[in-house]
Amino acid sequence: MTILLTGAAGFIGSHLTRQLLAAGHVVIGLDNFDDQYDPALKRQAIRPFIRLANYRLVTGDIRDQALLAEVLSQYRCDTVVHLAARTGVRASVHEPALCIDVNVTGTLALLEAMRVSNVRRLVLASSSSVYGNSSFVPFREDDEANGPLSPYAMSKRSAELLAHTYHHLYGFDVACLRFFTVYGPRQRPEMAISKFTARLLDGKPITLYGDGSTTRNYTYVQDTVTGIIQAIHHLGGFDLLNIGGMASISLSELVHLIEQAVGQRAIINWQPAQPGDAQSTCADLRQAQARIGYYPSVSIKEGIGRFINWYKKQALNQPIV
């Protein structure tokens, strides 16, 4: 299988690349190396793949439809995994136009490039943020998801709807995967677990928003990658699927787990809740289990331990963010 992977140098993309290459697939990695976080970290993440025979790196933007069509045709791609996005709920509140341009216009450009290149298989990265503050808990894929709380959430729901349109009009086989707070080695520096760990180890205060009662379903990156690969192999029709972790925990509980793993108490700077943040996320995984055989295997406690071990070995030589 020859797969065009957008956002290939990112956190999830680099982990997925390793698994796909190990399984014998050809990966055409596309990334624009934007400055949402240090591009050097992205280049470092894909360095092990550059000289491999079944890997090609293309530097480019998903909004460049002509480039996308050229790549799809040149490398005879048969499947697309679309991870590239302008990420972050809070970032999207400050830069809504950029978020929507990349995540919606970029997805449309990709779909059009696929159409003209006759590529009809797509796995699309969506987000649990599409559920907003849904009253239906755990979150199920048949929720209308029509109450986004941020431009980021709206952009991801819009991308899902665009993909459905191309499924309906042109027969695309699509799986929209709603990721639930992915973490693990090489997690983006601004995300909670990475940032809390860095500041705690550096003896600096960590900032928490709200009262610590917000809950999240955290998903270890290897489970997320497994979900993506399962979706690739079960593409057919149109699917919306939750790809989440084993359970949800509160923000206060998360900090406690990090404290335990690091062996140090956190200094906490409490701040008011932030606009756009959901009160909770909780994944109903029954549809993903039935449709693609997805079962997460890494608990949050085990995953935090793995992340801290990696961080101590690898990241302490890098700047603390």
Side-chain angles (χ1 to χ4, degrees):
M1 194 179 299
T2 300
I3 298 166
L4 172 61
L5 173 58
T6 74
F11 164 44
I12 299 172
S14 60
H15 283 276
L16 176 61
T17 296
R18 183 178 297 278
Q19 290 293 105
L20 291 173
L21 292 174
H25 300 294
V26 175
V27 176
I28 312 302
L30 177 79
D31 208 291
N32 70 344
F33 297 95
D34 70 6
D35 61 357
Q36 190 170 13
Y37 68 96
D38 187 356
L41 296 177
K42 303 174 190 179
R43 295 191 183 279
Q44 181 181 355
I46 60 169
R47 188 171 296 142
F49 317 133
I50 294 298
R51 297 186 182 278
L52 298 181
N54 55 339
Y55 182 79
R56 293 291 184 276
L57 173 65
V58 178
T59 301
D61 195 295
I62 57 169
R63 291 166 289 184
D64 188 342
Q65 183 180 325
L67 172 65
L68 294 170
E70 179 184 346
V71 169
L72 288 167
S73 298
Q74 177 183 349
Y75 293 104
R76 299 181 180 179
C77 301
D78 49 64
T79 303
V80 175
V81 178
H82 180 32
L83 302 182
R86 194 71 181 180
T87 55
V89 166
R90 294 172 189 167
S92 76
V93 173
H94 297 294
E95 293 185 298
L98 179 59
C99 172
I100 292 165
D101 187 31
V102 174
N103 297 358
V104 181
T105 306
T107 298
L108 177 59
L110 175 63
L111 290 166
E112 273 293 281
M114 292 176 65
R115 181 183 65 81
V116 301
S117 304
N118 198 33
V119 179
R120 295 290 190 268
R121 290 167 46 85
L122 173 66
V123 176
L124 171 72
S126 187
S127 166
S128 61
S129 65
V130 302
Y131 291 109
N133 280 326
S134 175
S135 58
F136 300 101
V137 179
F139 297 161
R140 286 176 29 172
E141 294 89 344
D142 56 3
D143 190 310
E144 290 183 351
N146 61 3
L149 302 179
S150 67
Y152 175 71
M154 185 280 287
S155 74
K156 284 298 187 179
R157 184 67 179 123
S158 297
E160 292 179 350
L161 294 171
L162 277 171
H164 184 271
T165 300
Y166 276 69
H167 159 71
H168 172 72
L169 290 176
Y170 307 115
F172 280 29
D173 290 322
V174 179
C176 297
L177 307 183
R178 292 173 172 173
F179 297 156
F180 283 69
T181 315
V182 187
Y183 72 100
R186 300 196 301 278
Q187 184 188 42
R188 299 198 316 271
E190 86 281 2
M191 295 187 73
I193 292 172
S194 183
K195 182 183 290 186
F196 293 170
T197 299
R199 295 189 69 85
L200 200 157
L201 285 170
D202 204 35
K204 296 180 179 178
I206 63 174
T207 299
L208 301 184
Y209 297 97
D211 60 3
S213 65
T214 56
T215 62
R216 293 289 181 270
N217 184 293
Y218 294 95
T219 315
Y220 194 69
V221 65
Q222 192 55 54
D223 283 333
T224 302
V225 166
T226 297
I228 296 169
I229 292 173
Q230 290 290 94
I232 291 171
H233 291 300
H234 289 83
L235 273 174
F238 182 86
D239 285 307
L240 291 171
L241 300 171
N242 291 334
I243 302 296
M246 299 174 72
S248 296
I249 66 167
S250 71
L251 180 60
S252 294
E253 290 172 312
L254 174 70
V255 172
H256 182 60
L257 285 177
I258 296 173
E259 288 176 326
Q260 285 183 318
V262 170
Q264 190 169 324
R265 292 294 300 272
I267 304 166
I268 298 176
N269 173 28
W270 292 99
Q271 294 292 323
Q274 294 287 287
D277 283 359
Q279 177 62 31
S280 66
T281 65
C282 183
D284 186 325
L285 299 178
R286 288 175 294 179
Q287 187 157 311
Q289 290 166 356
R291 181 70 184 88
I292 65 171
Y294 172 73
Y295 291 87
S297 62
V298 181
S299 70
I300 182 64
K301 184 174 182 178
E302 180 183 352
I304 290 293
R306 291 186 188 183
F307 174 78
I308 300 298
N309 286 338
W310 168 83
Y311 193 93
K312 287 180 175 179
K313 291 177 181 177
Q314 303 293 328
L316 286 178
N317 293 325
Q318 299 172 3
I320 298 296
V321 178

